[in-house]
Amino acid sequence: MDNKKWNYITIGSFMYIIVSGVTIKLLFDNETTNRLVEPLVIGWGVPRILYIITIWICAYILMLRLTRDMEPNKRVGPKTFVKAVFVTVAMVLFVMGAQALRS
């Protein structure tokens, strides 16, 4: 895949994470619309699980792009996928640690 396609995928993943997060926050904070996003925010159900899976996929795609750019020839091979998994897990653990220190 060339850089132009990677750019489209990266921008799409980034925008999905930002727009969906902001939309859920704005809808949940409003008393008249919070019932629309309660399945995504409160409790564990199919909508929340699907939303979390899509967020993880987008984060993994962003980390895969980062890992691919660090490769010498900018190719995605089997090792690149494994490296991206470790980078994604490290990112999540870092964010969780930062939130724990903050609170």
Side-chain angles (χ1 to χ4, degrees):
M1 207 168 18
D2 61 345
N3 280 333
K4 190 172 185 179
K5 291 179 183 176
W6 273 106
N7 290 341
Y8 290 146
I9 291 173
T10 304
I11 290 171
S13 297
F14 183 73
M15 291 304 293
Y16 176 77
I17 291 172
I18 298 298
V19 170
S20 67
V22 168
T23 304
I24 288 174
K25 173 78 171 133
L26 290 175
L27 288 175
F28 191 69
D29 287 346
N30 189 348
E31 291 181 10
T32 59
T33 58
N34 66 354
R35 61 181 166 71
L36 297 173
V37 292
E38 279 182 356
L40 297 175
V41 179
I42 299 172
W44 286 95
V46 173
R48 184 170 184 178
I49 291 171
L50 290 176
Y51 175 69
I52 290 173
I53 288 172
T54 57
I55 291 291
W56 272 90
I57 290 170
C58 288
Y60 176 75
I61 289 171
L62 292 173
M63 294 303 118
L64 182 63
R65 167 71 187 260
L66 179 75
T67 309
R68 179 197 77 105
D69 287 346
M70 289 190 297
E71 294 291 324
N73 56 2
K74 291 192 177 185
R75 297 271 182 204
V76 177
K79 289 183 181 179
T80 311
F81 287 107
V82 175
K83 289 178 189 177
V85 168
F86 286 115
V87 171
T88 306
V89 170
M91 176 201 60
V92 169
L93 291 176
F94 175 77
V95 170
M96 289 173 56
Q99 288 293 331
L101 289 175
R102 189 173 145 207
S103 58

